[in-house]
Amino acid sequence: MFRNLILVSVFSFLSVNAFSQKCNCETEVKSIAGFMEKNYAGFKDKQAIMTKAGYDKMLKQYLALAKGPHADEHCLMIISQYLQQFKDHHVSVRANFDATKLDSAYLAQREIIPLSDKKIAELRKSHGIEGVYDFHDPAKYKIAVMKDKTPLRDYVAVIISSNLPGWKPGMIKWEGKMINDTVARGVLYVLNGMPKAEGFYFKGDRIYGDWHREGTTVENPASSKYEPVAFKKLSPKTAYLKVSTFDSSNGKNIDSIINANKASLNDMPNLVIDLRGNGGGADWTFAPLMNLVYTGPVKHIGNDLLSTDTNIEGWKVFLTDEDRSEENKQGIRTIIKNLEANKGKMVTNTKDFNITGYTAIASPKKVVILIDKGCASSTEEFLLEARQSKKVILMGENTSGTLDYSNVLTAPFPCMPYTIGYSSSRSRRIDVGQGIDNVGIKPAKYLQEKDDWIEKAKAELEN
């Protein structure tokens, strides 16, 4: 039986709209809402949680904002906040323009928030989030961060001084609405003055990752080279395997590094698999890891796909992925055929079944998998299967909780130069009370930020 091994991929059209092209925000919000209502596989569930009346009221509020002052400039923020109401990390917005190409006409119409010398002096004495901050390259610009509570934002960062072309004092650099005590979500106005959806993390005198409070020094941590995969021996008994992503492009790397170190893996009784920060990719790439941890049949609860013309076209794009095997593509062709025969319906993508296609091996005998809040999507799919192994113990912190609605596709905004990412599938785990969205997969043993996680994992295996 073919098993769908795809959790995240992309279907997109390149927007060729000029930045200065006039887009009507109310029309844009209505179009995005209509798109989600028709194509997003989680819409019925999310609307049921909000209630239809609650959803309609929420949408009405954002449509009203789309007709307000500076609505065109704030339109991306309006749309982003509408999408955030679905509480699905797979629903996202990406900029589809070259941030280095200055749009003078757009910059000229930007909102200006005047700042007096008195206000700046007050902010310099502020504590908490408010204050005056330097960019990591202080020569480029300085910002004032202040409270400015509106329906769209709680804080706004305004340019005090800048050497960036076209940027003037009073222009907004970023604005965000708090989602908890340390994180805001909003938009960042990039080099050319255009907004992109962004999150902001506040800790001490820093706003990660670009700003630090004026007058403070920032120690730049030694930069570590990004490695898609890495293997090393922690001791004569314990091996270490790091997998940074399950993206399709990393599938061959994962397979190669395991094959290259097969002798060591066969000789050593313990293995640490470090998945911290692995935001997912494609399910088929983690098959080599399942070979290492498998001890017996694994229960898999399947998912259903929403069939619409737009979603069908998105699935067809998977067939152009050169990293996928012909067997995998043949399975996709079967999926597309089923979708085309059942338009407007939820179609079974994968059935519930027991996975028995792996062979249990003697070594490694024990496996610790390190997980954190950066683990999402396909990584969580792997963890749901791997934790059923008698060899495996999960250590770290709760994962992201981004899996109940998946198989991500993207499509262009009607007018603005952005693309929307959305989920085309729904897991049937939801129906049996095993959903993980916004909760995550819990580790068997929690670790603290101050801990040396690799050493803790090694100790767990060797004690």
Side-chain angles (χ1 to χ4, degrees):
M1 178 188 295
F2 169 77
R3 177 183 171 216
N4 173 33
L5 297 179
I6 309 155
L7 255 283
V8 179
S9 192
V10 173
F11 151 50
S12 66
F13 297 108
L14 212 51
S15 175
V16 295
N17 295 333
F19 301 152
S20 56
Q21 176 179 326
K22 194 69 173 175
C23 299
N24 181 275
C25 187
E26 183 183 9
T27 300
E28 204 81 348
V29 174
K30 284 181 178 178
S31 296
I32 294 296
F35 181 91
M36 291 294 287
E37 291 164 10
K38 182 177 181 180
N39 297 294
Y40 171 47
F43 180 76
K44 287 185 178 179
D45 289 344
K46 303 296 184 174
Q47 186 186 55
I49 293 170
M50 298 182 206
T51 73
K52 185 179 186 305
Y55 172 80
D56 290 344
K57 180 181 179 181
M58 177 268 291
L59 179 56
K60 186 177 179 181
Q61 290 171 339
Y62 285 114
L63 287 170
L65 290 171
K67 294 186 286 187
H70 297 285
D72 289 345
E73 184 175 351
H74 295 142
C75 198
L76 179 65
M77 200 163 185
I78 293 168
I79 291 170
S80 294
Q81 289 191 16
Y82 160 76
L83 295 173
Q84 286 170 25
Q85 303 309 309
F86 294 113
K87 301 186 187 306
D88 182 345
H89 297 310
H90 275 145
V91 175
S92 62
V93 174
R94 295 181 182 178
N96 196 15
F97 55 78
D98 184 348
T100 66
K101 291 184 177 179
L102 194 67
D103 186 340
S104 300
Y106 182 83
L107 273 175
Q109 54 135 33
R110 288 282 308 278
E111 178 185 3
I112 298 291
I113 300 178
L115 279 180
S116 66
D117 291 342
K118 180 181 178 182
K119 180 63 176 178
I120 293 172
E122 290 175 358
L123 289 170
R124 283 195 163 103
K125 298 175 183 178
S126 296
H127 299 285
I129 293 174
E130 286 193 304
V132 175
Y133 291 80
D134 284 321
F135 188 57
H136 65 75
D137 180 354
K140 288 189 175 181
Y141 63 85
K142 188 185 296 286
I143 58 174
V145 177
M146 53 190 176
K147 290 180 181 178
D148 186 41
K149 195 167 182 62
T150 74
L152 289 173
R153 68 191 181 207
D154 293 322
Y155 287 90
V156 62
V158 176
I159 293 288
I160 295 177
S161 60
S162 174
N163 291 325
L164 299 174
W167 283 81
K168 301 175 182 178
M171 282 185 173
I172 299 173
K173 183 59 185 170
W174 60 259
E175 50 191 330
K177 198 162 190 67
M178 302 300 294
I179 60 171
N180 57 42
D181 291 340
T182 59
V183 176
R185 285 182 183 162
V187 297
L188 170 70
Y189 295 88
V190 296
L191 190 63
N192 64 4
M194 290 286 290
K196 74 167 186 173
E198 190 67 88
F200 307 95
Y201 173 46
F202 309 102
K203 185 175 182 181
D205 290 323
R206 297 191 66 180
I207 306 172
Y208 284 76
D210 289 326
W211 301 275
H212 58 92
R213 194 179 300 274
E214 183 185 59
T216 61
T217 57
V218 178
E219 293 183 10
N220 292 321
S223 60
S224 55
K225 182 181 178 182
Y226 172 79
E227 294 179 302
V229 292
F231 178 89
K232 63 181 178 180
K233 296 180 181 179
L234 299 178
S235 75
K237 293 182 178 179
T238 304
Y240 170 87
L241 177 63
K242 169 69 176 177
V243 181
S244 300
T245 177
F246 286 128
D247 188 80
S248 293
S249 61
N250 204 33
K252 293 178 182 177
N253 296 330
I254 296 169
D255 191 54
S256 294
I257 201 166
I258 289 174
N259 285 331
N261 293 281
K262 188 168 289 186
S264 295
L265 289 167
N266 288 339
D267 291 341
M268 304 175 82
N270 305 321
L271 174 63
V272 176
I273 300 176
D274 191 343
L275 297 181
R276 289 176 291 175
N278 187 329
D283 285 12
W284 63 267
T285 64
F286 64 63
L289 298 185
M290 282 302 300
N291 285 321
L292 296 174
V293 304
Y294 181 80
T295 56
V298 174
K299 184 177 181 179
H300 174 80
I301 298 177
N303 62 63
D304 302 318
L305 288 167
L306 177 58
S307 177
T308 67
D309 288 336
T310 298
N311 293 352
I312 290 168
E313 291 305 311
W315 276 83
K316 288 179 180 178
V317 174
F318 290 125
L319 298 174
T320 66
D321 186 349
E322 295 180 357
D323 290 316
R324 297 185 186 277
S325 67
E326 182 54 37
E327 179 187 6
N328 189 265
K329 289 181 179 180
Q330 187 55 46
I332 294 171
R333 293 184 187 102
T334 300
I335 290 169
I336 292 170
K337 184 177 180 180
N338 290 337
L339 291 174
E340 289 177 331
N342 293 279
K343 289 183 181 180
K345 300 178 182 179
M346 295 296 294
V347 180
T348 299
N349 182 31
T350 56
K351 297 180 180 179
D352 299 353
F353 63 96
N354 287 332
I355 301 170
T356 58
Y358 302 101
T359 301
I361 56 177
S363 185
K365 291 182 172 61
K366 294 191 293 182
V367 180
V368 164
I369 303 178
L370 293 175
I371 61 175
D372 67 3
K373 59 188 175 185
C375 295
S377 194
S378 289
T379 304
E380 291 174 309
E381 184 68 50
F382 167 69
L383 293 170
L384 289 176
E385 298 180 6
R387 71 177 182 178
Q388 298 180 49
S389 168
K390 297 174 183 178
K391 294 181 179 183
V392 168
I393 180 169
L394 305 184
M395 296 180 66
E397 62 185 16
N398 285 27
T399 62
S400 170
T402 311
L403 186 62
D404 294 345
Y405 308 91
S406 56
N407 284 293
V408 174
L409 309 176
T410 72
F413 277 34
C415 178
M416 295 166 63
Y418 301 92
T419 55
I420 181 173
Y422 66 99
S423 306
S424 65
S425 70
R426 176 187 185 274
S427 174
R428 292 191 296 278
R429 281 182 290 100
I430 299 167
D431 299 328
V432 293
Q434 295 182 25
I436 67 165
D437 271 19
N438 303 299
V439 176
I441 297 170
K442 299 177 181 180
K445 293 194 175 182
Y446 282 92
L447 298 175
Q448 303 298 315
E449 185 178 352
K450 63 181 180 180
D451 295 334
D452 183 328
W453 286 26
I454 295 175
E455 282 300 313
K456 287 283 187 180
K458 178 173 169 287
E460 174 70 26
L461 291 165
E462 295 186 358
N463 288 343

